[in-house]
C-alpha cells in the first residue's frame, strides 16, 4: 500500500515535471498548451525511440500517429455545405473544396498549402480539412489544398515543385473557368512550412512571362522563411517554447534537404553562416534584423555572428541559401513583383521574426503589406480549433486571417 502511494506520487511528480513548462505570462490558455506540447513531445520521443530500434523512420511514424489521432477526431464541419473532390493537377494530388450552394457569378479562389515542417500532416486530416472547408464556406471561394509529397520520402525541391506545378495548372484560364473562378481574384496561402512554399512559389510565378496566372494576393501564416540565422530575437526568446522549439525547427530544415543531422548543433550557433563562409556574405543584409526589426521586438538580444565557423556545412547543404527554400533571401527586384501581402506572426514563436523581416523587406520594395501580429499566440495556433486540441486563440487567429481575405480578395 505504502509503496503504491509512493509510486503514484512519483508518477504524478514525473508527469507534472514532464508537462509543466514555464510559458510567457501573455500566452492564452497556458495549461491547454502545456498538455498539447507534452503530448506532441511524448509522441516525438516515442518515434525517436522506435527509429532508434529500427522500426521505421521517426517522421513517418509520427505522421502515422497524427493520422490515427485525426481519425479519432469526431468533430467534422458541416460538410454538406462544401463539395470536396480529390483529384490531380498536373500529376500532383489536390483536394478541391467548392461551396455547394449555386452561384451565378464567378467565385474567388485560394490555393492553400498546409504546414507541418515539410514532413507532417495532410490535406485530408481533420485539421486542414476543417480549415479549408471553413474557408470555402465563409469566403464563398473555391479552395485548392495541395497534397505535396513529404519528407522523409521526398526532399527539397520536390515539395516546391509539387506546389508550383499544381498552382500553375490551376491558374490556367480554362481550368479556372471549369471551376467558375475569377482569374483576377485568386490568392495563394499557407501556414508554417506551407507559408514557406506559398511565398517561394508566389515569387517563382511572379517572374513568369505570362501576365495571366498571377495571384491577386498572398497570405502567409507564421511562415518559415530563412535558414540563415537561428539567432533572431524570436529564435533566442522562444528557444524552448512549444510547440516548435528551436532545435526541432533546425532539424526540420536539415531533413528538408536530406542533410546530416550532426550539423544541427552547428546551425544553432550560426556556424554555417559565419563571417568566413564566403557564400553567405551576399545574403547577410537581407536578414539583418538589427535594421529590419523594431527595437521594441529586438529587445536586448544581440546578433550571433561567429568570425569562424564550419565552411563544410554549406558545401554539404548549399540549398540552405537557395531562395526557393528560403524566400526571405530573394533580391529586391523579385520582391517588387509580389502581390499585396498579409503576414500573420505570433509573439510566442521562433518564426516570428522570419515573418516580420519579410514584411519589412516587401514594404521597402513597395509591396502593399498587412502585418498582423498576435501577442498571446503560439506557433501553429490557427489549426487548433477542434476538440480536443481547441484554443479560443486559435479560432480568433483563424477568424482574423479569413476576415483579411474576405476584405481583400
Ligand atoms: C502562358 O499562357 C498561355 C495561355 O494560357 C499558356 O498556354 C502558356 O503555357 C503559358 N506560358 C507559360 C510560360 O506559363
Ligand atoms: C563553431 O565553429 C567554431 C570554429 O570553427 C568551433 O570552434 C566550434 O566548435 C563550432 N561549434 C559548433 C557547435 O559546431
Amino acid at each position: 500500500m505504502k509503496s503504491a502511494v509512493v509510486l503514484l506520487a512519483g508518477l504524478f511528480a514525473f508527469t507534472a515535471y514532464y508537462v509543466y513548462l514555464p510559458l510567457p505570462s501573455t500566452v492564452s490558455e497556458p495549461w491547454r498548451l502545456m498538455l498539447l506540447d507534452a503530448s506532441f513531445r511524448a509522441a516525438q520521443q516515442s518515434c525517436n525511440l522506435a527509429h532508434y530500434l529500427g522500426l521505421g523512420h521517426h517522421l513517418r511514424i509520427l505522421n502515422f500517429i497524427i493520422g490515427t489521432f485525426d481519425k479519432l477526431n469526431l468533430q467534422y464541419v458541416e460538410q454538406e455545405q462544401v463539395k470536396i473532390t480529390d483529384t490531380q493537377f498536373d500529376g500532383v494530388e489536390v483536394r478541391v473544396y467548392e461551396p455547394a450552394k449555386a452561384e451565378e457569378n464567378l467565385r474567388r479562389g485560394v490555393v492553400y498549402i498546409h504546414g507541418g515542417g515539410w514532413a507532417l500532416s495532410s490535406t485530408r486530416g481533420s485539421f486542414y480539412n476543417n480549415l479549408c472547408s471553413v474557408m470555402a464556406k465563409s469566403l464563398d471561394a473555391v479552395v485548392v489544398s495541395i497534397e505535396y509529397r513529404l519528407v522523409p520520402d521526398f526532399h527539397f525541391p520536390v515539395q516546391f515543385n509539387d506546389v508550383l506545378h499544381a498552382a500553375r495548372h490551376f491558374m490556367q484560364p480554362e481550368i479556372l473557368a471549369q471551376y467558375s473562378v475569377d482569374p483576377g481574384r485568386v490568392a495563394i496561402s499557407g501556414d508554417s512550412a506551407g507559408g514557406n512554399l506559398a511565398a517561394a512559389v508566389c515569387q517563382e510565378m511572379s517572374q513568369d512571362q505570362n501576365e495571366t496566372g498571377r495571384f491577386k494576393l498572398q497570405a502567409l501564416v507564421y511562415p518559415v522563411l530563412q535558414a540563415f540565422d537561428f539567432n533572431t530575437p524570436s529564435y533566442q526568446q522562444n528557444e524552448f517554447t512549444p510547440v516548435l522549439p528551436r532545435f526541432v525547427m533546425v532539424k526540420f530544415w536539415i531533413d528538408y534537404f536530406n542533410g546530416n543531422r550532426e550539423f544541427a548543433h552547428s546551425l544553432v550557433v550560426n556556424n554555417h553562416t559565419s563571417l568566413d563562409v564566403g557564400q553567405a556574405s551576399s545574403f547577410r543584409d537581407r536578414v539583418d534584423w538589427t535594421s529590419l526589426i523594431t527595437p521594441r521586438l529586438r529587445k536586448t538580444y544581440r546578433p550571433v555572428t561567429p568570425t569562424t565557423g564550419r565552411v563544410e556545412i554549406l558545401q554539404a547543404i548549399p540549398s540552405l541559401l537557395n531562395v526557393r527554400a528560403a524566400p526571405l533571401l530573394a533580391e529586391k527586384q523579385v520582391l517588387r513583383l509580389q502581390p499585396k501581402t498579409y503576414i500573420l506572426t505570433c509573439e510566442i514563436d521562433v518564426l516570428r521574426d522570419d515573418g516580420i523581416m519579410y514584411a519589412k523587406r516587401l514594404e521597402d520594395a513597395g509591396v502593399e503589406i498587412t502585418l498582423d501580429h498576435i501577442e498571446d499566440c503560439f506557433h501553429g495556433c490557427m489549426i487548433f480549433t477542434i476538440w480536443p486540441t481547441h484554443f479560443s486563440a486559435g479560432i480568433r487567429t483563424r477568424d482574423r486571417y479569413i476576415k483579411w481575405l474576405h476584405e481583400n480578395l
Side-chain angles (χ1 to χ4, degrees), residues 168 171-174 208-212:
R168 276 204 179 124
M171 292 304 271
Q172 296 174 94
E174 57 277 20
D208 283 353
Q209 294 304 312
N210 267 356
E211 276 300 329
T212 59

Side-chain angles (χ1 to χ4, degrees), residues 38-107:
S39 321
F40 194 50
R41 252 185 306 134
Q44 282 175 309
Q45 284 161 0
S46 317
C47 292
N48 288 340
L49 179 67
H51 185 113
Y52 176 75
L53 296 175
L55 299 176
H57 194 286
H58 64 100
L59 286 171
R60 215 174 281 124
I61 306 171
L62 186 59
N63 219 0
F64 176 77
I65 294 176
I66 292 175
T68 309
F69 178 77
D70 242 341
K71 292 202 187 84
L72 301 176
N73 213 325
L74 297 175
Q75 194 182 343
Y76 286 101
V77 273
E78 321 86 279
Q79 287 181 354
E80 69 274 11
Q81 297 187 39
V82 180
K83 180 179 152 212
I84 298 178
T85 320
D86 289 323
T87 179
Q88 293 201 340
F89 280 0
D90 195 14
V92 179
E93 288 184 43
V94 297
R95 174 167 273 208
V96 184
Y97 301 77
E98 294 170 86
K101 91 173 148 43
E103 168 65 58
E104 305 231 316
N105 301 321
L106 292 178
R107 288 198 153 101

Side-chain angles (χ1 to χ4, degrees), residues 265-266 269 271 308-310:
H265 291 282
S266 305
V269 296
N271 261 3
T308 56
R310 296 183 62 189

Side-chain angles (χ1 to χ4, degrees), residues 262-272 274 276 306-313:
E262 304 282 306
F263 289 147
H265 291 282
S266 305
L267 295 195
V268 162
V269 296
N270 286 348
N271 261 3
H272 61 307
S274 54
D276 61 332
T307 319
T308 56
R310 296 183 62 189
V311 181
E312 68 270 26
I313 298 178

